[in-house]
PDB file of all heavy atoms in Angstrom:
ATOM      1  N   VAL A1468      -4.422   6.024   6.293  1.00  0.00           N
ATOM      2  CA  VAL A1468      -3.712   5.075   7.152  1.00  0.00           C
ATOM      3  C   VAL A1468      -2.214   5.120   6.830  1.00  0.00           C
ATOM      4  O   VAL A1468      -1.380   5.249   7.729  1.00  0.00           O
ATOM      5  CB  VAL A1468      -4.273   3.646   6.981  1.00  0.00           C
ATOM      6  CG1 VAL A1468      -3.400   2.614   7.695  1.00  0.00           C
ATOM      7  CG2 VAL A1468      -5.715   3.565   7.480  1.00  0.00           C
ATOM      8  N   LEU A1469      -1.872   5.047   5.562  1.00  0.00           N
ATOM      9  CA  LEU A1469      -0.472   5.051   5.143  1.00  0.00           C
ATOM     10  C   LEU A1469       0.241   6.329   5.599  1.00  0.00           C
ATOM     11  O   LEU A1469       1.343   6.284   6.147  1.00  0.00           O
ATOM     12  CB  LEU A1469      -0.400   4.911   3.623  1.00  0.00           C
ATOM     13  CG  LEU A1469       0.972   4.694   3.004  1.00  0.00           C
ATOM     14  CD1 LEU A1469       1.569   3.370   3.453  1.00  0.00           C
ATOM     15  CD2 LEU A1469       0.854   4.714   1.479  1.00  0.00           C
ATOM     16  N   LYS A1470      -0.409   7.460   5.401  1.00  0.00           N
ATOM     17  CA  LYS A1470       0.189   8.745   5.775  1.00  0.00           C
ATOM     18  C   LYS A1470       0.373   8.845   7.286  1.00  0.00           C
ATOM     19  O   LYS A1470       1.414   9.299   7.763  1.00  0.00           O
ATOM     20  CB  LYS A1470      -0.674   9.897   5.263  1.00  0.00           C
ATOM     21  CG  LYS A1470      -0.062  11.272   5.459  1.00  0.00           C
ATOM     22  CD  LYS A1470      -0.904  12.330   4.763  1.00  0.00           C
ATOM     23  CE  LYS A1470      -0.309  13.702   4.775  1.00  0.00           C
ATOM     24  NZ  LYS A1470       0.115  14.235   6.030  1.00  0.00           N
ATOM     25  N   SER A1471      -0.600   8.400   8.038  1.00  0.00           N
ATOM     26  CA  SER A1471      -0.487   8.442   9.500  1.00  0.00           C
ATOM     27  C   SER A1471       0.654   7.555   9.985  1.00  0.00           C
ATOM     28  O   SER A1471       1.445   7.960  10.842  1.00  0.00           O
ATOM     29  CB  SER A1471      -1.791   8.006  10.151  1.00  0.00           C
ATOM     30  OG  SER A1471      -1.638   7.942  11.545  1.00  0.00           O
ATOM     31  N   PHE A1472       0.754   6.352   9.443  1.00  0.00           N
ATOM     32  CA  PHE A1472       1.835   5.452   9.840  1.00  0.00           C
ATOM     33  C   PHE A1472       3.179   6.084   9.483  1.00  0.00           C
ATOM     34  O   PHE A1472       4.131   6.008  10.246  1.00  0.00           O
ATOM     35  CB  PHE A1472       1.686   4.092   9.159  1.00  0.00           C
ATOM     36  CG  PHE A1472       0.699   3.171   9.823  1.00  0.00           C
ATOM     37  CD1 PHE A1472      -0.533   3.608  10.264  1.00  0.00           C
ATOM     38  CD2 PHE A1472       1.003   1.837   9.982  1.00  0.00           C
ATOM     39  CE1 PHE A1472      -1.437   2.748  10.862  1.00  0.00           C
ATOM     40  CE2 PHE A1472       0.113   0.964  10.581  1.00  0.00           C
ATOM     41  CZ  PHE A1472      -1.105   1.427  11.021  1.00  0.00           C
ATOM     42  N   TYR A1473       3.249   6.725   8.324  1.00  0.00           N
ATOM     43  CA  TYR A1473       4.477   7.393   7.877  1.00  0.00           C
ATOM     44  C   TYR A1473       4.840   8.532   8.831  1.00  0.00           C
ATOM     45  O   TYR A1473       5.977   8.637   9.286  1.00  0.00           O
ATOM     46  CB  TYR A1473       4.274   7.914   6.453  1.00  0.00           C
ATOM     47  CG  TYR A1473       5.357   8.842   5.950  1.00  0.00           C
ATOM     48  CD1 TYR A1473       6.593   8.347   5.544  1.00  0.00           C
ATOM     49  CD2 TYR A1473       5.136  10.212   5.865  1.00  0.00           C
ATOM     50  CE1 TYR A1473       7.588   9.190   5.077  1.00  0.00           C
ATOM     51  CE2 TYR A1473       6.122  11.067   5.387  1.00  0.00           C
ATOM     52  CZ  TYR A1473       7.343  10.549   4.997  1.00  0.00           C
ATOM     53  OH  TYR A1473       8.317  11.383   4.529  1.00  0.00           O
ATOM     54  N   GLU A1474       3.879   9.374   9.126  1.00  0.00           N
ATOM     55  CA  GLU A1474       4.134  10.529   9.988  1.00  0.00           C
ATOM     56  C   GLU A1474       4.514  10.125  11.406  1.00  0.00           C
ATOM     57  O   GLU A1474       5.238  10.844  12.092  1.00  0.00           O
ATOM     58  CB  GLU A1474       2.916  11.455  10.013  1.00  0.00           C
ATOM     59  CG  GLU A1474       2.721  12.181   8.699  1.00  0.00           C
ATOM     60  CD  GLU A1474       1.417  12.951   8.612  1.00  0.00           C
ATOM     61  OE1 GLU A1474       0.512  12.727   9.452  1.00  0.00           O
ATOM     62  OE2 GLU A1474       1.307  13.774   7.685  1.00  0.00           O
ATOM     63  N   ASN A1475       4.024   8.981  11.850  1.00  0.00           N
ATOM     64  CA  ASN A1475       4.334   8.488  13.198  1.00  0.00           C
ATOM     65  C   ASN A1475       5.498   7.505  13.206  1.00  0.00           C
ATOM     66  O   ASN A1475       5.745   6.854  14.217  1.00  0.00           O
ATOM     67  CB  ASN A1475       3.090   7.847  13.815  1.00  0.00           C
ATOM     68  CG  ASN A1475       2.019   8.871  14.085  1.00  0.00           C
ATOM     69  OD1 ASN A1475       2.272   9.870  14.742  1.00  0.00           O
ATOM     70  ND2 ASN A1475       0.835   8.639  13.556  1.00  0.00           N
ATOM     71  N   ASP A1476       6.169   7.380  12.044  1.00  0.00           N
ATOM     72  CA  ASP A1476       7.303   6.460  11.912  1.00  0.00           C
ATOM     73  C   ASP A1476       6.912   5.074  12.419  1.00  0.00           C
ATOM     74  O   ASP A1476       7.620   4.446  13.201  1.00  0.00           O
ATOM     75  CB  ASP A1476       8.515   7.006  12.674  1.00  0.00           C
ATOM     76  CG  ASP A1476       9.813   6.381  12.201  1.00  0.00           C
ATOM     77  OD1 ASP A1476       9.880   5.956  11.031  1.00  0.00           O
ATOM     78  OD2 ASP A1476      10.758   6.313  13.005  1.00  0.00           O
ATOM     79  N   ASP A1477       5.739   4.618  11.952  1.00  0.00           N
ATOM     80  CA  ASP A1477       5.131   3.398  12.471  1.00  0.00           C
ATOM     81  C   ASP A1477       5.211   2.224  11.498  1.00  0.00           C
ATOM     82  O   ASP A1477       4.462   1.273  11.611  1.00  0.00           O
ATOM     83  CB  ASP A1477       3.659   3.693  12.826  1.00  0.00           C
ATOM     84  CG  ASP A1477       3.151   2.816  13.952  1.00  0.00           C
ATOM     85  OD1 ASP A1477       3.968   2.137  14.598  1.00  0.00           O
ATOM     86  OD2 ASP A1477       1.938   2.813  14.177  1.00  0.00           O
ATOM     87  N   TYR A1478       6.090   2.304  10.520  1.00  0.00           N
ATOM     88  CA  TYR A1478       6.360   1.151   9.665  1.00  0.00           C
ATOM     89  C   TYR A1478       7.807   1.176   9.240  1.00  0.00           C
ATOM     90  O   TYR A1478       8.466   2.203   9.275  1.00  0.00           O
ATOM     91  CB  TYR A1478       5.419   1.066   8.464  1.00  0.00           C
ATOM     92  CG  TYR A1478       5.435   2.206   7.461  1.00  0.00           C
ATOM     93  CD1 TYR A1478       6.545   2.486   6.683  1.00  0.00           C
ATOM     94  CD2 TYR A1478       4.299   2.968   7.240  1.00  0.00           C
ATOM     95  CE1 TYR A1478       6.536   3.503   5.744  1.00  0.00           C
ATOM     96  CE2 TYR A1478       4.278   3.985   6.298  1.00  0.00           C
ATOM     97  CZ  TYR A1478       5.404   4.241   5.553  1.00  0.00           C
ATOM     98  OH  TYR A1478       5.393   5.238   4.619  1.00  0.00           O
ATOM     99  N   TYR A1479       8.316   0.012   8.852  1.00  0.00           N
ATOM    100  CA  TYR A1479       9.714  -0.097   8.474  1.00  0.00           C
ATOM    101  C   TYR A1479       9.923   0.425   7.051  1.00  0.00           C
ATOM    102  O   TYR A1479      10.619   1.395   6.839  1.00  0.00           O
ATOM    103  CB  TYR A1479      10.182  -1.551   8.614  1.00  0.00           C
ATOM    104  CG  TYR A1479      11.611  -1.751   8.190  1.00  0.00           C
ATOM    105  CD1 TYR A1479      12.643  -1.229   8.957  1.00  0.00           C
ATOM    106  CD2 TYR A1479      11.922  -2.440   7.034  1.00  0.00           C
ATOM    107  CE1 TYR A1479      13.959  -1.391   8.569  1.00  0.00           C
ATOM    108  CE2 TYR A1479      13.237  -2.614   6.648  1.00  0.00           C
ATOM    109  CZ  TYR A1479      14.249  -2.077   7.411  1.00  0.00           C
ATOM    110  OH  TYR A1479      15.545  -2.243   7.017  1.00  0.00           O
ATOM    111  N   ASN A1480       9.312  -0.215   6.076  1.00  0.00           N
ATOM    112  CA  ASN A1480       9.428   0.215   4.683  1.00  0.00           C
ATOM    113  C   ASN A1480       8.097   0.623   4.077  1.00  0.00           C
ATOM    114  O   ASN A1480       8.069   1.241   3.028  1.00  0.00           O
ATOM    115  CB  ASN A1480      10.039  -0.894   3.814  1.00  0.00           C
ATOM    116  CG  ASN A1480      11.512  -0.713   3.615  1.00  0.00           C
ATOM    117  OD1 ASN A1480      12.054   0.367   3.795  1.00  0.00           O
ATOM    118  ND2 ASN A1480      12.184  -1.788   3.257  1.00  0.00           N
ATOM    119  N   GLY A1481       7.010   0.237   4.664  1.00  0.00           N
ATOM    120  CA  GLY A1481       5.696   0.537   4.133  1.00  0.00           C
ATOM    121  C   GLY A1481       4.679  -0.447   4.665  1.00  0.00           C
ATOM    122  O   GLY A1481       4.961  -1.214   5.580  1.00  0.00           O
ATOM    123  N   LEU A1482       3.502  -0.437   4.059  1.00  0.00           N
ATOM    124  CA  LEU A1482       2.424  -1.351   4.450  1.00  0.00           C
ATOM    125  C   LEU A1482       2.056  -2.200   3.244  1.00  0.00           C
ATOM    126  O   LEU A1482       1.995  -1.705   2.113  1.00  0.00           O
ATOM    127  CB  LEU A1482       1.211  -0.559   4.946  1.00  0.00           C
ATOM    128  CG  LEU A1482       1.456   0.298   6.197  1.00  0.00           C
ATOM    129  CD1 LEU A1482       0.241   1.171   6.494  1.00  0.00           C
ATOM    130  CD2 LEU A1482       1.791  -0.582   7.400  1.00  0.00           C
TER     131      LEU A1482
END
Side-chain angles (χ1 to χ4, degrees):
V1468 171
L1469 189 64
K1470 187 173 186 308
S1471 175
F1472 279 44
Y1473 169 76
E1474 289 172 346
N1475 293 307
D1476 200 27
D1477 209 11
Y1478 62 65
Y1479 178 70
N1480 263 341
L1482 298 173

